[in-house]
């Protein structure tokens, strides 16, 4: 799978665990030296980073004699190096979104064409509910390649006559991922001739699915192992919550419009479910960065309704100097370029908030009283919505690295992070006043999103054990 969050070994796992450092070292040099010895003298370059790791992963799986390899495509499908497998057991396409447009195309149909490139003759494939035109493209690609393509029934169809399924991953969007995982798992188990998979249940086509161009796969009675698998699934950096005393970190590597929408739904629900502080002093912070060719303005606009008190922008570098952290170096991006992008995001966020204030002229602006944010005096009954007005002029701050950003947000209240440097390190008035609020708030809720690399850097600092 890719990308990794903290250590590159996460990309190659056996029985769910990253391979050991010794095993990684052994196979890295074995593959590297073999390629070095056999490369074409006329084209003397080695495979690029992702291609090398893909070759290495296949070699590891073959040498370690795994029963089953689950291979996540890197980007797209058609031209991705993982697509070298000629006869997989089964293929799956999850919910499509707009991403990597410079490589895959700028419409959902073009992206669907690329994703359908993994379909193989006679190999069953499954997908989940998609928009009509992209689904038609997937069907056309399946027909071209003589691949039987099926639509997964909703997870609700598996729950008929049994208790609601518990998912280890939070968020409504994970239900379609779970439905897809069940179909992929059952197909492989069938191929292995496993018994006791539970009888199939014909699913009556719902009105939503009528007229869809892809046949609906049947649901089936789940085995105890499948139910346990769904419940016990963990995936770092996806709808992950870390409670560190008064500071709660909400980590989600969403980086497309559809995944940010899902992230916002999850965060608002998760934050609402937390016990409210008795004195009501809760501060919400957004920590954001985005990379590549993504439309950050579109992503940030979706985050405005969360009503953050502060928005913090920083590059994905854990420290200003990354010399001691080879796993998280990116030689394609300079610190200067990354900071320029952060400053653009800061300006975009400020503009979006100004536009929102313009749309809601009756909403009160917050007044600072005694170092704490207090609502302005009520303006009649108009204050009924929202019942607890939050500051709409939330300051946006830029820090040069993740460590500084996290330390400022935590203000020494997270035992995993050192306290920020002495006063004077944050000359910006918003940083100074914000530090007071963050130190005095009964609860600090921080959403870290926009980039899996950002989330990975945050995890490295918040969970040092992951670096071991």
């Amino acid at each position: 799978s890719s990308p990794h969050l903290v250590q590159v070994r996460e990309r190659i796992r056996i029985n769910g665990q990253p391979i050991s450092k010794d095993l990684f070292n052994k196979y890295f040099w074995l593959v590297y030296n073999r390629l070095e010895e056999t490369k074409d003298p006329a084209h003397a370059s080695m495979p690029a980073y992702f291609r090398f790791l893909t070759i290495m992963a296949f070699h590891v799986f073959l040498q370690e004699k795994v029963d089953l390899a689950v291979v996540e495509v890197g980007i797209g499908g058609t031209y991705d190096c993982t697509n070298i497998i000629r006869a997989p057991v089964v293929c799956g396409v999850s919910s499509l979104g707009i991403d990597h447009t410079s490589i895959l195309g700028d419409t959902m149909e073009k992206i669907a064409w690329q994703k359908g490139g993994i379909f193989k003759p006679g190999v069953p494939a499954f997908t989940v509910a998609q928009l009509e035109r992209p689904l038609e493209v997937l069907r056309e690609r399946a027909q071209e390649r003589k691949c039987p393509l099926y639509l997964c029934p909703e997870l609700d169809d598996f729950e008929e006559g049994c208790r609601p399924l518990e998912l280890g991953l939070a968020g409504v969007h994970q239900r379609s991922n779970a439905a897809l995982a069940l179909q992929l798992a059952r197909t492989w188990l069938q191929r292995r001739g496993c018994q006791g998979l539970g009888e199939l249940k014909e699913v009556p086509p719902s009105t939503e699915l009528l007229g869809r161009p892809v046949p609906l796969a049947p649901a089936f009675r789940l085995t105890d192992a499948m139910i346990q698998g769904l419940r016990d699934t963990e995936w770092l950096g996806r709808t992950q919550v870390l409670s560190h005393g008064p500071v709660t970190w909400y980590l989600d590597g969403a980086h497309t419009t559809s995944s940010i929408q899902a992230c916002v739904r999850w965060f608002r629900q998760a934050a609402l479910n937390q016990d409210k502080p008795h004195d009501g002093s809760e501060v919400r912070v957004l920590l954001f960065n985005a990379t590549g060719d993504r439309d950050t303005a579109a992503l940030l606009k979706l985050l405005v309704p969360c009503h953050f008190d502060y928005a913090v922008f920083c590059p994905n570098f854990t420290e200003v100097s990354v010399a001691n952290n080879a796993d998280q170096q990116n030689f394609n991006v300079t610190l200067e370029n990354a900071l320029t992008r952060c400053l653009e995001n800061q300006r975009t966020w400020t503009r979006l908030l100004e536009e929102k204030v313009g749309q809601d002229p009756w909403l009160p602006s917050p007044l600072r009283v005694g170092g704490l944010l207090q609502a302005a005096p009520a303006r009649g009954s108009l204050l009924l919505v929202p019942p607890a007005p939050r500051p709409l002029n939330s300051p946006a701050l830029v820090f040069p690295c993740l460590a500084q950003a996290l330390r400022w947000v935590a203000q020494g209240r997270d035992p995993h992070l050192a306290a920020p440097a002495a006063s004077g390190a944050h000359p910006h008035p918003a940083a100074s006043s914000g530090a007071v609020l963050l130190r005095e708030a009964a609860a600090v809720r921080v959403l870290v999103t926009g980039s899996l690399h950002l989330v990975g850097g945050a995890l490295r600092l918040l969970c040092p054990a992951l670096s071991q």
Side-chain angles (χ1 to χ4, degrees), residues 92-107:
V93 176
S94 59
S95 186
L96 298 175
I98 295 282
D99 197 16
H100 303 294
T101 51
S102 61
I103 300 170
L104 305 182
D106 55 1
T107 68

Side-chain angles (χ1 to χ4, degrees), residues 91-94 126-128 152 175-185:
C91 296
V93 176
S94 59
F126 295 89
T127 189
V128 296
C152 294
R175 290 181 68 81
S176 75
N177 290 336
L180 179 59
L182 289 171
Q183 296 289 353
L184 300 179

